[in-house]
Amino acid sequence: MVALCEKNNLYLIMDDTYNRLIFDNRKPTTSYQFSPARGLDDSKLVVINCVSKMYAMTGFRIGWTVASKEIVRAMTNIQSQETSGPAAPSQWAAVGALNGVQSSIESLRLTLRTIAT
């Protein structure tokens, strides 16, 4: 899908919020590995992620995107006019989750696998 969209000059928005909650001994992948683009700024891929799912921080509303500078600039212009920034405590909590011990993700993944079976 990534290569098809880039070949036809179409943007593809990928929701990557569950990228580490996977099963059956699979490894997380990044959508960019399927991109024929030479670099991020040549790609039509926009990857969205957040702390909501993997870190159980649904009320914090902290997310980010990985995309070309052009797309991020446009997103920033729109976002700055539509919403206010997230509260500083939410931002620091997200930094702690992203930089802290990651074993909670594996624990969540195992719990979800147990529930699903």
Side-chain angles (χ1 to χ4, degrees), residues 20-23 53-54 56 103-117:
R20 290 173 55 197
L21 299 177
I22 52 179
F23 306 99
K53 309 302 187 264
M54 288 186 291
S103 60
S104 62
I105 296 172
E106 179 63 8
S107 177
L108 175 59
R109 191 189 70 77
L110 293 173
T111 300
L112 291 172
R113 185 179 71 187
T114 301
I115 293 170
T117 57

Side-chain angles (χ1 to χ4, degrees), residues 21-41:
L21 299 177
I22 52 179
F23 306 99
D24 301 327
N25 295 319
R26 295 178 186 202
K27 302 288 182 209
T29 60
T30 172
S31 303
Y32 284 101
Q33 76 187 52
F34 302 104
S35 173
R38 293 186 315 271
L40 189 59
D41 285 330

Side-chain angles (χ1 to χ4, degrees), residues 14 18 113:
M14 301 293 294
Y18 294 96
R113 185 179 71 187

Side-chain angles (χ1 to χ4, degrees), residues 27-82:
K27 302 288 182 209
T29 60
T30 172
S31 303
Y32 284 101
Q33 76 187 52
F34 302 104
S35 173
R38 293 186 315 271
L40 189 59
D41 285 330
D42 297 322
S43 178
K44 296 291 185 184
L45 184 58
V46 179
V47 177
I48 307 296
N49 210 325
C50 65
V51 295
S52 297
K53 309 302 187 264
M54 288 186 291
Y55 298 100
M57 297 173 68
T58 55
F60 287 73
R61 303 290 188 249
I62 301 288
W64 60 92
T65 190
V66 178
S68 69
K69 289 177 187 173
E70 177 186 7
I71 293 298
V72 171
R73 193 175 304 115
M75 292 172 73
T76 302
N77 288 341
I78 293 169
Q79 187 275 336
S80 68
Q81 301 303 314
E82 295 293 323

